[in-house]
Amino acid sequence: MVPDRLAENLAEVRGRIDMAAARSARTADAVRLVAITKYASSGIAAKLVECGCLDLGESRPQELWRKADALGSAPIRWHLVGHLQRNKIDRTLPVVSCIHSVDSWRLLQAMDSRASALGLQHVPSLLEINISGERAKQGLAPDEAPRIIAQAAAMTHVRIQGLMGMAGLYSDRDQVRREFRSLRELRDRLRPECSPRVSMDELSMGMSADFELAVEEGATMVRVGSALFEGVVA
Ligand SMILES: *Cc1c(COP(=O)(O)O)cnc(C)c1O
């Protein structure tokens, strides 16, 4: 029973992404669905993989390690979408395919030097930007991004590939749209300043409540959790 419902939810979310992409005159393959599995067990995450969803994300490093271990042999691309503490870098970098949540220059520097020590050539990462201005939100202030991108030109292992943002908890839909649009506009302004080692191709924005707005505003990755697990996880 449960896997059927999971497959239905996945198909529904994919369908809504496709329609939103069409409204923004893009094709559905321009948007990658990252399934955030923090509400689900490893067993349910494994069912998602069986349904063909190979991009999985977690917000806590320890939980990501645990599920990555449990699902070991599957060809999953793991995404870390929450804060990475520096003492967790070594165990996280070898497992992940993208870190969405780089929120300080210190973290970025530490990641680059640890990636070098671990022999990892290429660590795809996104700068997390606080687009809602809410104080509780992680992320860099938008006006800090240019300096970090300029400094990142000297990094040898971490590759910044774009930006990540989260809409404010209390924002109404127009405000959510404005916040997503501000992230896209920031990305567009930063693009000409990027060195060859830094790109601004990716925009990670949109969660269960607002992923369609995010796609309409140009998201290339949406991070969807609870909408996938309705009726599956209590
Ligand atoms: C939990 C989480 C998500 C998914 O949230 P839902 O509202 O359940 O879709 C997306 N991004 C981040 C950073 C998260 O922590």
Side-chain angles (χ1 to χ4, degrees):
M1 293 306 283
V2 163
D4 287 353
R5 181 68 197 269
L6 189 64
E8 281 166 26
N9 290 350
L10 179 63
E12 195 206 311
V13 167
R14 285 199 192 287
R16 288 166 60 191
I17 291 172
D18 290 0
M19 284 190 290
R23 287 195 293 279
S24 62
R26 295 189 300 154
T27 55
D29 60 9
V31 184
R32 189 187 301 194
L33 170 63
V34 179
I36 307 300
T37 50
K38 67 186 179 202
Y39 309 109
S41 63
S42 298
I44 292 191
K47 298 288 181 209
L48 268 180
V49 173
E50 276 173 40
C51 294
C53 184
L54 296 179
D55 286 279
L56 303 186
E58 282 287 332
S59 57
R60 295 177 52 232
Q62 297 98 312
E63 188 57 22
L64 189 152
W65 307 338
R66 206 176 64 75
K67 286 205 177 81
D69 262 356
L71 303 185
S73 58
I76 298 166
R77 290 178 293 270
W78 282 104
H79 300 249
L80 181 71
V81 301
H83 184 62
L84 177 59
Q85 298 85 354
R86 276 176 296 151
N87 64 359
K88 303 205 169 68
I89 291 174
D90 281 17
R91 278 193 68 179
T92 302
L93 294 192
V95 191
V96 290
S97 80
C98 184
I99 295 184
H100 291 229
S101 41
V102 176
D103 54 8
S104 75
W105 170 243
R106 264 176 21 133
L107 173 61
L108 198 58
Q109 264 183 317
M111 283 167 51
D112 198 50
S113 85
R114 293 313 302 155
S116 167
L118 294 165
L120 300 168
Q121 290 312 312
H122 190 98
V123 178
S125 308
L126 310 177
L127 294 182
E128 180 173 356
I129 308 290
N130 182 344
I131 49 175
S132 69
E134 284 174 10
R135 291 218 291 164
K137 283 271 192 302
Q138 306 265 6
L140 299 158
D143 62 7
E144 291 178 285
R147 180 178 52 87
I148 290 186
I149 281 173
Q151 289 172 317
M155 288 188 316
T156 50
H157 293 73
V158 172
R159 296 295 168 85
I160 294 176
Q161 301 192 324
L163 304 178
M164 183 270 236
M166 247 185 282
L169 209 48
Y170 304 106
S171 305
D172 63 34
R173 289 183 73 76
D174 289 341
Q175 177 63 20
V176 167
R177 186 184 288 283
R178 277 195 293 276
E179 289 169 9
F180 288 152
R181 187 170 297 166
S182 76
L183 192 65
R184 168 165 50 88
E185 289 170 350
L186 177 64
R187 191 270 311 260
D188 294 344
R189 282 200 301 282
L190 293 170
R191 226 176 205 158
E193 300 177 25
C194 289
S195 66
R197 297 187 152 273
V198 176
S199 80
M200 279 289 132
D201 295 335
E202 303 287 354
L203 264 187
S204 166
M205 55 188 194
M207 313 185 359
S208 291
D210 53 24
F211 68 86
E212 289 153 299
L213 287 177
V215 169
E216 287 173 19
E217 293 301 328
T220 63
M221 291 194 259
V222 292
R223 310 177 309 271
V224 178
S226 34
L228 293 170
F229 302 113
E230 261 168 50
V232 178
V233 173

